[in-house]
Amino acid sequence: MLWIILIAILLAAVIVIGYISFYNGLVRSRNWTDEAWSQIDVQLKRRNDLIPNLVETVKGYAKHEQGTLENVIAKRNQLAAVPSDDHAQTMAVSNQLSAGLKDIFALSESYPDLKANQQFGQLMDELTNSENKIAYARQLYNSSAVNYNNKIQTFPGNVIAPAHNFQKINYLETPEAEKTAPKVSF
């Protein structure tokens, strides 16, 4: 009889320890996903901080390209106004801002003096570096989200997660416009 009680206590202890361990794993996965989003946010801020310098540099060379510059500034300001917990809106505005920055980069082809400007070159390099870091941070976020979602959707996570209000995390997706291959003509 004593053996049965000891086995029952040992079995209960294993179940409780397993439950706690799995719960802590869910919390860690969710925190890694939050941290990955934080990295995106840091890189977006870094890029936003570079934009005023870029716009000022371009203004002197491309005075009649005011619409392009105003669009980039408007998107930058719009991005700064998006609530920090609205990941979908943040990425949508960020993608629009990236498109506007591509337009500014394209201006350098029309203005050889701008292209030769050392400060513009440095800013372009910094912005390109920021865009690469944003892309990497997006990949890290999606990888973290996959890991987290797998944990909450497989056993025993699918039992434990709902009890503690762990919710599925949506992935960051590439906008449809960027999925199409650019048209090239010779």
Side-chain angles (χ1 to χ4, degrees):
M1 183 71 166
L2 181 62
W3 288 103
I4 295 174
I5 294 173
L6 287 174
I7 291 173
I9 291 172
L10 185 61
L11 185 60
V14 167
I15 290 172
V16 167
I17 290 171
Y19 187 93
I20 291 170
S21 176
F22 197 84
Y23 173 83
N24 288 341
L26 287 174
V27 170
R28 274 192 301 277
S29 290
R30 182 179 59 197
N31 289 343
W32 285 331
T33 304
D34 290 344
E35 191 270 338
W37 176 258
S38 174
Q39 291 302 318
I40 292 172
D41 212 28
V42 166
Q43 295 308 321
L44 292 176
K45 177 164 180 6
R46 180 177 184 269
R47 179 183 64 185
N48 285 351
D49 290 345
L50 292 169
I51 289 173
N53 294 331
L54 178 69
V55 168
E56 285 303 313
T57 302
V58 173
K59 269 185 187 177
Y61 291 93
K63 289 184 173 72
H64 62 281
E65 301 289 350
Q66 203 64 24
T68 303
L69 300 176
E70 288 171 357
N71 179 44
V72 168
I73 292 169
K75 292 302 176 194
R76 176 189 178 266
N77 293 340
Q78 186 179 354
L79 184 60
V82 173
S84 61
D85 62 343
D86 191 346
H87 297 180
Q89 170 122 15
T90 298
M91 292 317 303
V93 175
S94 174
N95 291 335
Q96 294 169 2
L97 180 57
S98 292
L101 288 172
K102 288 177 186 174
D103 291 342
I104 288 181
F105 292 163
L107 286 177
S108 68
E109 297 301 320
S110 302
Y111 299 92
D113 291 342
L114 176 61
K115 193 173 185 177
N117 180 294
Q118 184 178 6
Q119 183 180 8
F120 180 76
Q122 289 173 339
L123 287 168
M124 279 186 60
D125 289 345
E126 284 293 318
L127 282 166
T128 300
N129 189 18
S130 290
E131 291 293 331
N132 290 339
K133 287 180 180 182
I134 290 167
Y136 174 76
R138 287 174 65 126
Q139 290 173 343
L140 177 62
Y141 176 84
N142 280 345
S143 294
S144 297
V146 165
N147 184 40
Y148 170 78
N149 287 340
N150 284 342
K151 284 186 177 188
I152 67 169
Q153 293 173 345
T154 57
F155 186 80
N158 61 351
V159 175
I160 296 172
H164 297 284
N165 202 27
F166 286 93
Q167 302 291 321
K168 181 179 184 272
I169 294 176
N170 294 324
Y171 306 117
L172 300 176
E173 297 180 4
T174 303
E176 286 301 318
E178 291 183 23
K179 290 180 182 180
T180 60
K183 294 180 180 167
V184 179
S185 58
F186 293 97

